[in-house]
Amino acid sequence: MEEDTMVQESLVLYGFWRSIASFRVRVALRLKGLSWEERPVNLMQGAQFTPDFDSVNPAHTLPVLQGPGFSHAQSLAILEFLEERWPDPALLPRDPDSRARARRLCLLTVADAHPLITPRVRHHLARNFAATEPQIAEWARHFLAEGARSYEALLAAEPPSPFINGATPGLADICLASHTVACGLFSLALDPWPTLNRLATACMALPAFADAHPFRQPDAPPASG
Ligand SMILES: N[C@@H](CCC(=O)N[C@@H](CS)C(=O)NCC(=O)O)C(=O)O
């Protein structure tokens, strides 16, 4: 669209420094060369449940991306929206087989692992099942390790070169990197999964990924990292 090359419409991202779903959207925005204003919603203080945020997203989750005439939630839906609205550079491969594989790799964490380690699940374990902090951390590491094992198996079968779909990173790399960032937040080392580890390192060497890391966000507490 011609207007995109002149003035970019203003974008607002409701996110939180520690949110790995927000990390995914930040990376995609950077890879697309888009700028945005980030509005932190402090998940640790329950800001997702305030009436103000309820009117933004009644599901009480981050991220939410807003622009003129739209308000989108669910990180993968937002990534696909960015891909369709700003197709260049492409973050999905062109052929249907590769696209299905890329989405499969995205969903390994977006649909399978990540939902099990979110604040609402951890709080529920603590409040209703008297789970202790160490038990909850162990729970998170268990599901993160399951995801990492699946990633390793799929990547070993079709090794990245250097990224999942070739020379440049795409949606699958973004989602995979978000999984490994979560591993870091829960002190799960990636050594048992060397292919995953290598790919995550290659991603995090790029400014688009590194600058999106939780510890680099302005709302991250000084002690983090
Ligand atoms: N499937 C959703 C997950 C959204 C989600 O659970 N986000 C977390 C932060 S990473 C959140 O807002 N959690 C709030 C809570 O658990 O109370 C997505 O990928 O956007």
Side-chain angles (χ1 to χ4, degrees):
M1 259 186 221
E2 201 182 319
E3 69 185 63
D4 291 346
T5 60
M6 299 186 321
V7 182
Q8 186 213 302
E9 61 201 57
S10 60
L11 298 174
V12 171
L13 177 65
Y14 290 85
F16 185 52
W17 68 273
R18 220 186 128 86
S19 158
I20 59 166
S22 303
F23 165 89
R24 294 193 271 271
V25 174
R26 277 187 219 117
V27 177
L29 286 165
R30 283 187 199 278
L31 289 174
K32 294 283 184 189
L34 296 167
S35 56
W36 72 97
E37 176 207 334
E38 188 146 342
R39 295 205 187 139
V41 177
N42 192 322
L43 297 182
M44 285 164 162
Q45 293 175 358
Q48 68 273 40
F49 301 112
T50 59
D52 274 356
F53 190 70
D54 183 75
S55 64
V56 174
N57 183 9
H60 304 148
T61 58
L62 300 172
V64 174
L65 184 73
Q66 293 186 338
F70 68 83
S71 179
H72 297 311
Q74 289 289 346
S75 61
L76 193 53
I78 296 172
L79 298 186
E80 297 254 9
F81 167 75
L82 293 175
E83 179 69 354
E84 289 170 10
R85 177 71 179 72
W86 288 275
D88 193 27
L91 300 181
L92 275 172
R94 294 184 83 157
D95 75 282
D97 282 337
S98 303
R99 287 168 85 85
R101 178 169 184 265
R103 291 185 171 113
R104 174 187 186 179
L105 290 166
C106 288
L107 288 164
L108 263 188
T109 197
V110 173
D112 293 354
H114 178 212
L116 294 162
I117 65 160
T118 54
R120 61 189 173 280
V121 169
R122 304 199 316 267
H123 291 155
H124 191 70
L125 289 170
R127 284 196 200 121
N128 297 288
F129 299 97
T132 62
E133 276 299 317
Q135 286 172 326
I136 293 169
E138 192 45 48
W139 163 285
R141 280 193 288 272
H142 170 80
F143 288 108
L144 287 167
E146 288 273 289
R149 189 196 53 76
S150 306
Y151 273 126
E152 183 67 21
L154 291 170
L155 294 175
E158 268 183 79
S161 61
F163 299 103
I164 287 169
N165 292 114
T168 54
L171 297 193
D173 303 279
I174 294 173
C175 293
L176 175 146
S178 77
H179 190 83
T180 62
V181 166
C183 291
L185 293 177
F186 286 94
S187 306
L188 180 67
L190 297 178
D191 310 80
W193 309 289
T195 324
L196 173 66
N197 197 359
R198 258 196 313 280
L199 179 51
T201 304
C203 288
M204 296 313 291
L206 302 175
F209 287 76
D211 292 344
H213 191 278
F215 299 158
R216 294 256 186 117
Q217 303 317 301
D219 56 323
S224 57

